[in-house]
């Protein structure tokens, strides 16, 4: 396999220890320097503090790597020219000997290949606003459907068309569970008004995951947790911010690969950094939660099919 897996991760997987995959797009394209590096390191620490092993994924000098070291992560944070790699960009960057950051889509696919069953992110991609014209739907959704990964996140990114994103998840047969919430979290807010199946405790989650694995329908799972309450925005605040961000971004950057980074950057600017702080904290919290749940509720990979 053209994937280089760090020895620590291979050993952890062999011994049935919990491993949590982490993406690098939020490092290279999602957060500004130096918050991006600090957040990536805190994510990895949050996983380790729950006695699990972090598996940061990305392409470095043409090699697809699972388990990047601290100095390597610093390159993703600092250097220019790291491509945003969804599935189809991966082989191109590898063939060119280049550098690439993985999106949720690429991360869950690679995780599935190497037998990692959990991943943490901020917000997943989904159906974009203006989809009627652009047809822009993130590859994250279809990749999660094909994967065998539980994606712990704060729902889908608030810049998206969230009702349509929920419909698409339903169409794809991807289970969406609300971790201790009955409302789908919306990245920077807990208030989207969209209903989601709640799971209140670890025992229920463990039984749910076992049943899902036994049924063998073969899809990943979205486990959505609320953003930290002390920093989260109200539904009204976030709606205003998204509208302002969309108005401030040139038409050409409202869809396509540039859309997500451009809109997140606009929201950061307009909120004077508040969304950056929130983004950082929710990512770190999700990493810790994924690690804890992987340890307590994870089931043997063989059972996952
Ligand atoms: N969540 C964040 N910041 C990000 C992303 C998610 O908090 O930068 C990234 C993820 O890598 C996700 C990608 O897979 O945005 C989705 O991009 P697109 O909408 O172009 O598919
Ligand atoms: Mn897109």
């Amino acid at each position: 396999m053209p994937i280089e897996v760090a020895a620590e991760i291979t050993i952890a997987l062999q011994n049935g220890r919990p491993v949590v995959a982490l993406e690098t797009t939020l490092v290279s394209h999602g957060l500004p320097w130096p918050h991006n590096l600090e957040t990536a390191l805190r994510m990895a620490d949050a996983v380790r503090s729950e006695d699990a092993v972090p598996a940061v994924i990305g392409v470095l000098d043409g090699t697809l790597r699972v388990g990047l070291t601290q100095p390597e992560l610093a390159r993703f944070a600092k250097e220019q020219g790291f491509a945003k790699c969804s599935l189809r960009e991966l082989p191109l960057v590898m063939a060119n000997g280049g550098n690439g950051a993985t999106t949720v889509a690429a991360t869950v696919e690679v995780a599935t290949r190497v037998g990692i069953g959990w991943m943490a992110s901020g917000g997943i991609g989904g159906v974009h606003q203006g989809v009627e014209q652009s047809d822009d739907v993130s590859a994250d959704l279809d990749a999660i459907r094909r994967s065998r990964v539980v994606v712990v996140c704060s729902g889908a990114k608030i810049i998206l068309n969230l009702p349509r994103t929920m419909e698409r998840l339903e169409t794809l047969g991807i289970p969406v569970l609300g971790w201790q919430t009955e409302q789908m979290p919306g990245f920077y807010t807990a208030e989207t008004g969209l209903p989601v199946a709640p799971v209140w405790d670890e025992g229920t989650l463990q039984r749910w995951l076992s049943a899902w694995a036994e049924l063998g329908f073969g899809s990943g799972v979205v486990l959505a947790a609320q953003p930290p309450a002390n920093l989260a925005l109200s539904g009204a605040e976030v709606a205003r911010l998204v509208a302002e961000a969309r108005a401030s971004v040139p038409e050409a950057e409202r869809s396509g690969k540039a859309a997500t980074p451009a809109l997140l950057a606009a929201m950061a600017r307009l909120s004077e950094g508040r969304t950056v702080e929130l983004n950082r904290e929710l990512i770190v919290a999700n990493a810790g939660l994924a690690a804890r749940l992987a340890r307590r509720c994870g089931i043997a990979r063989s059972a996952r099919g």
Side-chain angles (χ1 to χ4, degrees), residues 8-28:
E8 183 193 18
I9 294 167
T10 305
I11 293 166
L13 290 169
Q14 279 165 358
N15 294 335
R17 280 190 65 202
V19 178
V20 177
L22 303 172
E23 56 151 316
T24 37
T25 289
L26 59 87
V27 182
S28 296

Side-chain angles (χ1 to χ4, degrees), residues 128 136-138 256-257:
H128 280 264
D136 191 358
V137 179
S138 178
K257 283 168 72 74

